[in-house]
Amino acid sequence: MNFLSFCTSIIKYSFYAIFLLVPLVFAGNTSELFELNKMWFTWIVTIIIMLAWSTKMIIGKKIFIQRTPLDIPILLFLLSQIISTIFSLDSQVSWWGYYSRFNGGLLSTITYILLYYAFVSNLSLKHVFRSLQVILFGGILVALWGLPSHFGYDPTCLVFRGTFDTSCWTEAFKPTIRIFSTLGQPAWMAAYLLTLLPLIMALALANVKSHIKFWMYTSLVFLFFIEIIFTNTRAAFLAFGVINIIFWGMVFLKKIFLRKEYLRYFAIFQFIFLASFFIFGLPVEPFYRYTLPGIQSSLTAPPTQAPPTQEAPAADPTPPATQAETPSVPQVNITDSGNIRQYVWQGAIDAWKANPIFGTGVETFAFAYYKFRPVGHNLTSEWDYLYNKAHNEYLNYLTTTGIFGLGSYLAFIGLFIFLVSKWFRTNLPAGKTGSTLAIANKKDEKNSTSYAQSSLLTIGLFTGWVSILITNFFGFSVVIINIFLFLIPLFVFILNHSLPDKSISLGPTEPSRNSSISPYYWTVIIALTCFAGYLIISLIRYWDADVKYALGANLDRVGSYKEAYPLLLEAVQIKQNEPVYKDEFAINVAVLATALAQSGDTQNAAQFASNAIALNDDVIQKHPNNVVYWKNRVRLLYTLAQAVTPEQQLLYYQEALRAIQHAATLAPTDAKIQYNLGVLYGQTGDLQKGIEILKQTILMKPDYKDAYFALGLFYRQSAVDTNNRIINPELNTKAIATYEEIITKFGSDEATLQSIEEWKQ
């Protein structure tokens, strides 16, 4: 094997690794178990692919990039992402992507485009077939990994804790209710399986001559489909209904089979789908009652209700802004995900209207949305979640990259659909219409079988790709889905030999066959290898920093701040420009400063407090549009205020008030921010302003118990003098009435009743 072939082999096997391992990769010691690790793996393998491709061009003394029909929309889309990043609310987030997910940032988009051109410029039809085999094998592994979890035996828990059960997951993410396997979220798993389902049906139909292969692929259709049911994702069932119609319609109109044969295979697969729905249920209320679980439910516990399909949010719970907050009442009623999406989509559209051309910046939805967040979102069960995605890929692009970004993205999608439609309108070669099983001679049989196979694979790939467009309408892409989004069109072009006879070439017409490589070229190759190694090592160090940050942040959450300190310090030292690490570390240092002050070590306490403020100052100065950092600044200052003199405490409260005022400009309809704003007005001496803000907070969120408590307390404080004598009976009456309203709305508790009795006296 010469060096050119060796480089091609590296590219080939690297792509196979991506197709096989990206859906499977996860780690239990990172801040995000699934997507972070999948993105990191994709980046590292892409660097290896680009090194091999560059080396191949250097050895061949020729720059070669194969042209494709989608070049213009792809390059326009890339340009839109670059411009949006330049004018972004937070350029670091736009470059890397939102922390913990990373997919969707400019770097990930560049990665997918590089993979697109690396594949088409170096690999061929045989590699497409092998890639499809690898993709299918990976899908089988994902399905087999996830299936036991539906019955209470999750292999992931076996890896994490050594127990073959589902105890490693919280009640909100029980795979017995909605499986997610190695994809990390039920909707993501459903989208992944839906992309592969039509491909498996196509392979089954392409192997109808072999009963063993046909029924093997058909059994895989059954496996994948029941797991789609087990994800309990309504968007997936809508997508399935659409692609099922498109797939069989295209097979019928393409006349790959005679009508009788077509009806036979159509009936087999529809029976599988309907039987699966009946046995395992359908999470859509009008139909669920007619399934076996629905019938059983109606006989035992009426009224019948479909199983829960509340989508796990693409959101992070917002940390409490200050320690002044009392525990919230647990949410009993879970808001339907469709209702929540209406608010999020409305906010996304309003944010786009304020930045119509280039948007707010790639992956900055978490910042853009909160300035236009509908007040009604406060009345949902996810009112205090930080939404970093629009739960609609198209609106997400519209908000963050504007008309230019969404337009180029839709141009990419629309052009591919047009090209497939154009292919579909072409007729079979003369003499090859009708069944591929009824042909005149062996030569015709070979040609017809080859045509049928490529046609079926094209239909399977295209309909799987269409499912991505539908699931993305109700959600957003993850790493493996974006890989499919870019590479499936390429597979279709190669399968149908529809790539243009054009390329971007600089160098000899024929690649050099000279086995000798000059020292100059070796120098360039070694330099590129060193650079690639540096990039990979940097990514590994970044990943290591995340591991330390994840453990440190978890220790902070359970109150082990002293143990978390060295881990967070090391994370900050490894990746000094990562604001997420500094923000968490600043909170940690502030808590330790308070502990030192309370223990009498005032000198170290002052130093720690100064360091905490300096860390936080650096974060908000470099990332002034991130509302979370401003809320955490309030939390930090409030923490430091707990172990100082009353005079110093007032200074901290005043600085915290300025921080929460800025946060309120970034998120004017966030009830939690308004609540903390009102509390801090009161704690800095302006009770009247505090009362005014808290009344507005209750209008935003009438079920906000904490706001009622604070409002009643401020009424009482305004009604009495320093000796606790009533000087304003009207305000005292309002205080009592507010606490009585708490009992009416939220139920009685001893502390509230005691306060009412004391105030009445």
Side-chain angles (χ1 to χ4, degrees):
M1 178 188 295
N2 60 37
F3 212 70
L4 283 172
S5 299
F6 177 70
C7 290
T8 301
S9 295
I10 291 177
I11 295 171
K12 173 179 65 176
Y13 288 110
S14 294
F15 271 105
Y16 297 161
I18 287 176
F19 297 141
L20 176 65
L21 297 179
V22 167
L24 295 169
V25 168
F26 65 90
N29 58 347
T30 50
S31 61
E32 202 280 336
L33 279 63
F34 299 97
E35 278 296 284
L36 183 150
N37 298 287
K38 297 178 192 302
M39 193 73 257
W40 244 248
F41 179 78
T42 303
W43 278 334
I44 290 174
V45 178
T46 301
I47 292 171
I48 294 171
I49 290 173
M50 294 308 299
L51 174 62
W53 186 15
S54 301
T55 302
K56 186 177 175 182
M57 288 190 286
I58 291 170
I59 294 171
K61 302 176 182 178
K62 180 178 182 179
I63 297 174
F64 178 81
I65 303 174
Q66 173 63 47
R67 295 288 303 276
T68 75
L70 298 176
D71 290 344
I72 293 176
I74 285 176
L75 294 179
L76 285 174
F77 178 64
L78 176 60
L79 180 62
S80 73
Q81 304 303 290
I82 293 172
I83 295 175
S84 180
T85 298
I86 292 172
F87 296 103
S88 173
L89 292 175
D90 193 316
S91 57
Q92 178 164 332
V93 169
S94 292
W95 170 251
W96 284 101
Y98 193 86
Y99 194 87
S100 80
R101 301 188 187 280
F102 293 102
N103 173 64
L106 176 59
L107 182 57
S108 69
T109 299
I110 292 172
T111 299
Y112 302 134
I113 293 174
L114 289 176
L115 290 175
Y116 178 90
Y117 284 103
F119 193 102
V120 73
S121 301
N122 293 278
L123 304 180
S124 60
L125 180 62
K126 65 179 181 180
H127 300 117
V128 171
F129 285 119
R130 182 58 60 87
S131 295
L132 295 179
Q133 293 172 349
V134 173
I135 289 170
L136 180 57
F137 183 63
I140 293 171
L141 294 179
V142 169
L144 293 177
W145 188 278
L147 184 62
S149 66
H150 177 73
F151 304 98
Y153 305 98
D154 193 349
T156 305
C157 291
L158 184 62
V159 172
F160 286 168
R161 292 189 176 178
T163 58
F164 196 30
D165 52 28
T166 60
S167 61
C168 62
W169 303 111
T170 65
E171 289 299 321
F173 295 96
K174 281 294 184 184
T176 51
I177 299 175
R178 302 180 68 207
I179 67 172
F180 45 81
S181 188
T182 58
L183 274 299
Q185 208 262 23
W188 302 343
M189 184 180 182
Y192 172 71
L193 295 178
L194 271 172
T195 307
L196 302 185
L197 186 68
L199 174 62
I200 304 173
M201 289 196 294
L203 288 169
L205 295 178
N207 288 275
V208 291
K209 287 186 177 181
S210 171
H211 291 294
I212 294 176
K213 288 184 177 181
F214 174 77
W215 288 109
M216 178 187 71
Y217 285 119
T218 302
S219 64
L220 289 179
V221 170
F222 174 70
L223 172 65
F224 278 44
F225 189 69
I226 63 171
E227 295 212 22
I228 292 171
I229 293 176
F230 292 159
T231 64
N232 274 331
T233 305
R234 284 174 294 187
F237 291 103
L238 174 61
F240 166 74
V242 173
I243 65 172
N244 189 39
I245 294 172
I246 294 175
F247 179 89
W248 291 102
M250 292 181 74
V251 172
F252 176 75
L253 295 175
K254 200 66 176 171
K255 298 182 179 179
I256 298 173
F257 299 99
L258 293 172
R259 186 182 299 270
K260 180 180 179 181
E261 294 163 338
Y262 167 83
L263 291 175
R264 178 194 307 164
Y265 302 129
F266 174 79
I268 289 173
F269 284 101
Q270 301 314 306
F271 174 78
I272 291 173
F273 300 145
L274 292 174
S276 299
F277 277 140
F278 178 75
I279 296 171
F280 299 108
L282 178 64
V284 180
E285 182 59 39
F287 304 104
Y288 179 74
R289 69 187 66 179
Y290 302 112
T291 65
L292 185 59
I295 294 171
Q296 292 173 337
S297 177
S298 66
L299 295 176
T300 57
T304 303
Q305 288 186 348
T309 56
Q310 173 69 20
E311 306 288 352
D316 302 315
T318 304
T322 77
Q323 293 182 346
E325 298 179 30
T326 56
S328 298
V329 178
Q331 293 288 349
V332 176
N333 298 318
I334 304 299
T335 308
D336 182 80
S337 59
N339 294 335
I340 296 175
R341 279 186 174 87
Q342 290 180 12
Y343 292 122
V344 178
W345 292 356
Q346 182 58 56
I349 293 172
D350 291 341
W352 162 70
K353 289 178 180 177
N355 305 272
I357 307 301
F358 302 119
T360 59
V362 175
E363 282 298 278
T364 58
F365 187 82
F367 318 143
Y369 174 62
Y370 284 86
K371 200 157 190 173
F372 302 91
R373 181 177 182 263
V375 174
H377 198 153
N378 290 309
L379 302 178
T380 70
S381 58
E382 295 178 5
W383 69 279
D384 58 348
Y385 276 35
L386 176 68
Y387 273 76
N388 50 55
K389 292 281 190 179
H391 277 267
N392 180 305
E393 190 86 334
Y394 311 99
L395 285 179
N396 205 74
Y397 278 124
L398 182 66
T399 302
T400 59
T401 62
I403 284 290
F404 189 18
L406 178 63
S408 55
Y409 183 73
L410 293 178
F412 165 75
I413 291 172
L415 181 56
F416 179 58
I417 293 174
F418 170 77
L419 293 172
V420 172
S421 301
K422 184 178 179 181
W423 163 83
F424 182 73
R425 291 195 300 270
T426 60
N427 295 319
L428 287 168
K432 301 298 183 295
T433 55
S435 172
T436 59
L437 307 179
I439 34 156
N441 53 56
K442 289 188 175 182
K443 182 178 179 182
D444 284 348
E445 179 180 7
K446 182 177 180 180
N447 292 337
S448 185
T449 301
S450 176
Y451 180 86
Q453 184 182 46
S454 64
S455 295
L456 286 168
L457 288 178
T458 297
I459 293 171
L461 287 168
F462 174 69
T463 49
W465 187 82
V466 168
S467 76
I468 295 175
L469 307 183
I470 300 170
T471 54
N472 276 355
F473 185 85
F474 299 97
F476 54 91
S477 289
V478 290
V479 178
I480 189 60
I481 296 301
N482 261 340
I483 290 172
F484 286 158
L485 185 73
F486 278 89
L487 291 186
I488 284 178
L490 201 56
F491 292 166
V492 169
F493 296 149
I494 296 174
L495 274 171
N496 292 281
H497 310 285
S498 55
L499 291 172
D501 295 327
K502 296 178 181 180
S503 63
I504 300 174
S505 300
L506 294 175
T509 305
E510 294 294 331
S512 174
R513 299 294 180 182
N514 188 354
S515 59
S516 63
I517 304 174
S518 71
Y520 171 77
Y521 288 131
W522 271 120
T523 302
V524 176
I525 292 171
I526 292 171
L528 286 174
T529 304
C530 291
F531 180 64
Y534 166 77
L535 294 178
I536 291 173
I537 291 172
S538 297
L539 285 172
I540 292 173
R541 282 177 55 80
Y542 200 166
W543 183 88
D544 184 51
D546 177 83
V547 171
K548 291 176 170 57
Y549 157 73
L551 180 55
N554 286 333
L555 288 170
D556 275 353
R557 291 186 185 99
V558 297
S560 299
Y561 294 96
K562 186 176 179 180
E563 292 78 5
Y565 177 85
L567 293 164
L568 294 172
L569 174 61
E570 192 170 355
V572 170
Q573 289 173 339
I574 293 173
K575 191 66 177 175
Q576 297 182 11
N577 63 343
E578 179 49 66
V580 171
Y581 302 164
K582 284 187 178 180
D583 188 55
E584 182 67 31
F585 189 42
I587 297 293
N588 175 275
V589 174
V591 173
L592 293 177
T594 302
L596 288 168
Q598 292 172 343
S599 67
D601 189 352
T602 55
Q603 183 176 353
N604 283 323
Q607 183 62 49
F608 268 62
S610 176
N611 291 343
I613 293 174
L615 284 165
N616 187 261
D617 285 344
D618 181 71
V619 170
I620 62 171
Q621 286 170 9
K622 293 179 179 177
H623 307 275
N625 296 304
N626 190 322
V627 66
V628 173
Y629 296 152
W630 284 98
K631 292 170 75 173
N632 281 348
R633 181 175 179 82
V634 177
R635 178 184 170 194
L636 179 147
L637 293 165
Y638 201 91
T639 299
L640 292 175
Q642 304 311 303
V644 295
T645 64
E647 294 78 11
Q648 292 173 317
Q649 188 176 70
L650 181 59
L651 293 176
Y652 278 122
Y653 284 163
Q654 289 173 342
E655 184 61 32
L657 177 60
R658 285 190 284 272
I660 202 68
Q661 285 172 333
H662 186 81
T665 64
L666 297 175
T669 62
D670 188 313
K672 182 168 284 189
I673 289 178
Q674 292 298 319
Y675 162 77
N676 282 283
L677 179 60
V679 168
L680 281 166
Y681 267 119
Q683 290 178 332
T684 53
D686 194 343
L687 287 173
Q688 186 59 40
K689 187 66 174 178
I691 290 172
E692 180 184 334
I693 297 296
L694 288 171
K695 288 168 66 177
Q696 293 174 4
T697 304
I698 290 172
L699 290 176
M700 286 184 182
K701 185 172 174 59
D703 59 349
Y704 200 171
K705 186 177 181 180
D706 296 348
Y708 284 96
F709 270 121
L711 179 61
L713 183 61
F714 285 176
Y715 275 138
R716 172 65 180 181
Q717 290 176 355
S718 300
V720 299
D721 60 16
T722 55
N723 296 318
N724 210 33
R725 291 179 301 194
I726 296 176
I727 58 175
N728 191 326
E730 181 182 355
L731 290 179
N732 191 65
T733 301
K734 288 184 178 181
I736 294 170
T738 302
Y739 269 37
E740 288 176 341
E741 191 172 358
I742 291 174
I743 294 174
T744 302
K745 285 180 174 288
F746 307 102
S748 63
D749 62 81
E750 185 176 346
T752 306
L753 290 172
Q754 184 177 350
S755 295
I756 292 173
E757 290 302 318
E758 290 177 358
W759 296 350
K760 283 183 177 180
Q761 294 175 4

